[in-house]
Amino acid sequence: MKYDLIIVASSSTKRLIELTQSCIDSARVDNSDLNIIIVETFQKYNYEGCTIIPYKGEFNYNKCLNLGLQHAQGDYHILANNDIYFHKGWSEIGYLMQNNGYESACAISDYHYKKGIEHGDYVYEGYDIGILLCGWCIFVSRKCIQMIGKLDESFEFWHSDNVYGDQLHALGIKHVLFCNIQVDHVASQTLKTLPFRKQRKYSWDSVRKYQLLRYAK
């Protein structure tokens, strides 16, 4: 089974480069058939063995992922932040998805333990953002992307996962959280490097925008 790991990265500081490299290194531990695509939003950095795709223009998370998906080759695509860490055994998730007919999935993280979700042979189905559908790392089948067409680019950063969930729901595509596969998230490391106004634009401004859209419906 072949995977595409699509990482949205900004190689603007030594810390962020180290985070991206850590993400890459952790994913490679499984020795799976892995095609790594870095969508670089700052300046090109030579991550060994990866395809580097430069992104130009105003930042938009799903637009970056859509750009990376144009270079995807695998059966399953991993849509990822650069500040995540794959635990050994993560590559079993494609087989779990395939054998159970799931087209979209996420893995448990240390964050879930604080929410009372335990590691084990559990599967939860739904679209609850940040719990079942975790925007920092989404596993999606090639078939799912073909059905959606492309990821919704209505939001720059926050709520990019919400609109993805809305796309799934509208098409009747199930999404699940696997509790026996783990991927941890450091959380908002790139966002914190930006000026305050940019941080607000990509975060809380999007919250209000999404709430207004939902209210209008």
Side-chain angles (χ1 to χ4, degrees):
M1 181 172 292
K2 188 175 183 66
Y3 294 93
D4 299 294
L5 172 55
I6 303 171
I7 304 172
V8 179
S10 172
S11 302
S12 57
T13 68
K14 181 181 178 182
R15 168 61 175 161
L16 293 180
I17 291 171
E18 289 173 347
L19 277 172
T20 302
Q21 189 62 58
S22 174
C23 174
I24 293 167
D25 292 343
S26 67
R28 285 175 169 161
V29 168
D30 266 21
N31 291 318
S32 58
D33 189 355
L34 184 62
N35 172 42
I36 301 178
I37 301 165
I38 309 292
V39 181
E40 178 56 61
T41 63
F42 185 70
Q43 62 184 7
K44 187 172 181 178
Y45 181 83
N46 185 29
Y47 297 99
E48 187 176 352
C50 302
T51 300
I52 314 297
I53 309 298
Y55 175 86
K56 304 297 182 183
E58 185 66 29
F59 177 75
N60 181 295
Y61 187 71
N62 278 354
K63 188 176 287 188
C64 289
L65 291 173
N66 282 328
L67 179 60
L69 283 166
Q70 293 176 19
H71 301 266
Q73 305 166 2
D75 308 293
Y76 289 88
H77 318 308
I78 309 162
L79 313 178
N81 288 18
N82 67 326
D83 53 0
I84 61 172
Y85 180 87
F86 292 87
H87 286 240
K88 188 171 178 57
W90 70 263
S91 59
E92 289 299 311
I93 199 167
Y95 298 97
L96 292 172
M97 292 173 69
Q98 185 180 68
N99 293 339
N100 293 282
Y102 297 128
E103 308 298 344
S104 178
C106 286
I108 199 171
S109 70
D110 51 3
Y111 168 83
H112 287 93
Y113 304 147
K114 302 170 188 175
K115 300 295 182 179
I117 300 176
E118 298 181 357
H119 191 283
D121 291 326
Y122 315 113
V123 181
Y124 296 95
E125 182 181 315
Y127 309 99
D128 295 339
I129 303 302
I131 303 296
L132 304 182
L133 203 168
C134 309
W136 54 84
C137 184
I138 300 171
F139 296 82
V140 56
S141 70
R142 179 170 51 190
K143 177 182 175 182
C144 183
I145 294 299
Q146 290 171 344
M147 292 172 69
I148 289 173
K150 69 174 186 176
L151 303 174
D152 188 322
E153 300 174 359
S154 300
F155 289 80
E156 286 91 353
F157 189 35
W158 281 21
H159 289 294
S160 295
D161 44 5
N162 293 69
V163 290
Y164 168 71
D166 291 342
Q167 288 180 292
L168 296 180
H169 189 264
L171 292 170
I173 302 171
K174 292 180 180 180
H175 174 87
V176 296
L177 174 74
F178 285 109
C179 296
N180 57 350
I181 302 291
Q182 185 161 345
V183 178
D184 289 333
H185 181 218
V186 182
S188 300
Q189 294 303 295
T190 303
L191 185 63
K192 292 174 183 177
T193 67
L194 300 177
F196 174 74
R197 287 186 179 180
K198 285 276 190 180
Q199 290 188 40
R200 187 177 64 188
K201 176 181 179 181
Y202 295 145
S203 56
W204 296 109
D205 286 355
S206 292
V207 173
R208 288 190 289 272
K209 179 181 174 182
Y210 189 76
Q211 288 172 342
L212 287 171
L213 286 174
R214 275 298 177 91
Y215 180 76
K217 293 180 180 179

